[in-house]
Amino acid sequence: MPETHDRPPEQFKLRLRRYDPESGDAPYWDEHTIELEPHRSVLEAVLQAKDRFDGSIGIRCSCRQAICGSCGVRVNGEPALACHTHLDAAKRGARDGVIEIEPMGNMPVIKDLIVDMDDVHWKKIRRVTPWLIAKQPVPEREYIVSKEAMVDVTQTMACIQCGACVSDCLAMEVDPGFIGPAALAKAYRFVGDPRDDQHFERLNDLAQDPQGIFDCTHCFKCVDACPKDVNPMGQIMRLRRIAIDDHHIVDQNNGERHEAAFTTLIKDNGLLWEAELLPRSYGGNSWFGKFAPPAGKELLSSLPAILKALVRGKVTPMGALKPHRIPKQDLKAVQAIYDKVESRPERYELNLYITGEDEPVKESPGDPVAAGVTHEVGGSEPAPTGAEPSDFPSSANGPQEG
Ligand code: SF4
Ligand code: SF4
Ligand code: FES
């Protein structure tokens, strides 16, 4: 079997989404067959089609090496960098052997595969004050920042502003005003930076905004879409945790109350009790929450959805009135997790979508991890107190697990 890069050119069929809003014509599909080595990129394929068959095909690109973020498109329905998607892989993912290439979603099309990043993506980035507001007094020389703090924000600094996460964001599809994954990841870049002077102001602003951090539906689409493993949803969850736990921000959107109600219900019942979630989120985090006027108001406005669910058999009156039950020993195990996490003196934030500490790793000869060789975060300094090797991602910037 020859090396991937030694394989001879092959023919690939492309199906391109074409649209010129200025023409007044509807979008349509256009097919071309190009010839390239299988390891070459989808971007090269589109450029060949443009060069050989139709010079009017619109695509944006610059670096051609997954750095500038300008060639974001959808390949076979999934967001991707055209220059970072091999033709053979794209063909394998095609439903009928034809590689389908479309413009990104959630942004208006300027022409063919080019979307208006200014109109959506950059507008949202500007919304989060994307620069450092320096702590005063400014030191005579440079600010000294710990390695841990820099590792913490490195993940968001890896963003190349390609818009793939914006393209796939389900919350933005429903609410185009949502600040969105890329901009909120950018916001974490400054909230996590100890040199910034406006952590509270930034968090309060993003928490109180009805289209801010609590508008994310936690769907993981941006995590999968990101070609640089920025994990935007993880950064949004971290913004929430810092806003709630460290700055005690209670937002007008009931986001903080919703989280508190959610965790209390799981702690008390082992499973989520959906019928209690709404009244507690609006009326207060206890069984009596449902009698508070804001809960009643919200219940009334949700009546059509509740009735629809009842008619379709998605909920039953008894199922709504009684909490779901799990076996006693399982409930005890769930509560033991809460006790353990809540008894810890400090929360330890990682560059991942998790919080907490692991048990100390028992030393075992010959095991470099257990022997403490990796007790470092991005350098030669020891990890923060209480942290263990398994607390850290294998690489600060490497693949993240949601
Ligand atoms: S997790 Fe949140 S920000 Fe990410 S795509 Fe889903 S709704 Fe959007
Ligand atoms: S977070 Fe990832 S997907 Fe979103 S703009 Fe940045 S690099 Fe692209
Ligand atoms: S051309 Fe720069 S990321 Fe693809």
Side-chain angles (χ1 to χ4, degrees):
M1 182 83 179
E3 286 293 307
T4 323
H5 288 207
D6 295 340
R7 281 157 62 191
E10 283 175 30
Q11 291 200 331
F12 292 92
K13 273 194 174 171
L14 309 181
R15 189 180 293 127
L16 306 175
R17 189 74 170 164
R18 306 291 307 272
Y19 180 47
D20 182 357
E22 284 179 8
S23 73
D25 296 335
Y28 63 99
W29 292 104
D30 186 16
E31 288 198 5
H32 297 288
T33 303
I34 57 93
E35 193 169 300
L36 277 171
E37 295 87 348
H39 73 275
R40 304 281 283 271
S41 70
V42 166
L43 175 62
E44 288 172 289
V46 176
L47 293 178
Q48 189 182 94
K50 182 179 169 73
D51 186 43
R52 292 190 182 169
F53 311 118
D54 186 348
S56 73
I57 297 171
I59 185 162
R60 186 192 282 130
C61 64
S62 180
C63 70
R64 305 192 192 189
Q65 48 192 321
I67 287 296
C68 74
S70 47
C71 67
V73 288
R74 273 185 172 155
V75 178
N76 302 321
E78 301 293 334
L81 294 176
C83 73
H84 196 48
T85 308
H86 294 285
L87 280 168
D88 49 359
K91 189 176 172 183
R92 279 197 299 276
R95 57 190 158 94
D96 56 358
V98 183
I99 301 169
E100 225 164 70
I101 308 156
E102 299 169 81
M104 289 193 289
N106 286 334
M107 287 175 268
V109 174
I110 295 178
K111 186 170 186 301
D112 300 334
L113 305 173
I114 305 171
V115 293
D116 192 343
M117 299 279 283
D118 271 341
D119 196 48
V120 179
H121 176 71
W122 291 112
K123 203 189 261 177
K124 289 172 189 295
I125 293 283
R126 284 192 289 274
R127 160 72 185 79
V128 301
T129 319
W131 56 83
L132 192 100
I133 301 167
K135 266 202 176 123
Q136 301 295 327
V138 175
E140 231 169 77
R141 291 171 65 87
E142 69 272 21
Y143 286 95
I144 307 293
V145 180
S146 73
K147 288 189 177 99
E148 291 80 13
M150 288 326 288
V151 167
D152 185 49
V153 292
T154 303
Q155 192 173 21
T156 54
M157 286 161 70
C159 173
I160 57 169
Q161 309 296 347
C162 65
C165 54
V166 172
S167 164
D168 246 28
C169 176
L170 295 186
M172 278 179 81
E173 232 172 279
V174 180
D175 177 6
F178 173 41
I179 296 176
L184 290 173
K186 176 60 102 183
Y188 185 78
R189 189 255 166 272
F190 299 106
V191 167
D193 192 320
R195 295 167 298 177
D196 190 88
D197 195 35
Q198 304 263 312
H199 292 169
F200 173 81
E201 290 78 358
R202 287 178 188 274
L203 289 162
N204 195 40
D205 170 38
L206 298 173
Q208 304 300 352
D209 188 330
Q211 293 163 325
I213 47 179
F214 291 108
D215 208 16
C216 164
T217 58
H218 214 175
C219 72
F220 282 83
K221 292 290 267 184
C222 56
V223 181
D224 292 340
C226 180
K228 295 291 170 184
D229 299 314
V230 169
N231 185 11
M233 187 191 78
Q235 312 306 337
I236 297 170
M237 296 307 129
R238 304 178 79 207
L239 288 170
R240 285 187 189 177
R241 277 201 297 272
I242 298 170
I244 294 170
D245 294 349
D246 300 344
H247 292 275
H248 311 291
I249 293 170
V250 177
D251 61 291
Q252 57 166 0
N253 311 301
N254 292 303
E256 182 266 347
R257 279 183 285 268
H258 180 74
E259 266 195 30
F262 200 104
T263 42
T264 307
L265 285 167
I266 303 255
K267 186 180 181 182
D268 291 349
N269 305 302
L271 286 173
L272 185 62
W273 183 9
E274 294 88 346
E276 272 288 296
L277 187 60
L278 185 143
R280 287 195 191 200
S281 301
Y282 286 83
N285 189 14
S286 80
W287 186 85
F288 298 101
K290 57 178 82 56
F291 303 110
K297 210 170 135 203
E298 195 57 30
L299 271 171
L300 265 183
S301 73
S302 306
L303 264 183
I306 296 170
L307 287 175
K308 213 186 263 177
L310 281 168
V311 169
R312 291 188 180 163
K314 288 193 170 175
V315 285
T316 60
M318 276 322 280
L321 289 173
K322 278 173 44 188
H324 309 304
R325 293 260 172 243
I326 60 171
K328 252 190 182 163
Q329 69 273 20
D330 292 348
L331 180 58
K332 269 192 178 163
V334 170
Q335 288 170 345
I337 297 172
Y338 275 81
D339 291 344
K340 187 163 184 177
V341 171
E342 286 167 357
S343 67
R344 290 194 164 130
E346 65 180 295
R347 189 181 81 244
Y348 188 64
E349 285 282 347
L350 298 175
N351 214 5
L352 283 172
Y353 178 43
I354 48 171
T355 309
E357 303 165 33
D358 275 352
E359 289 300 323
V361 178
K362 281 198 187 107
E363 294 220 355
S364 78
D367 178 353
V369 174
V373 173
T374 58
H375 278 233
E376 295 173 357
V377 188
S380 55
E381 285 183 8
T385 321
E388 291 298 328
S390 48
D391 284 341
F392 299 102
S394 54
S395 144
N397 220 0
Q400 305 300 307
E401 290 169 5

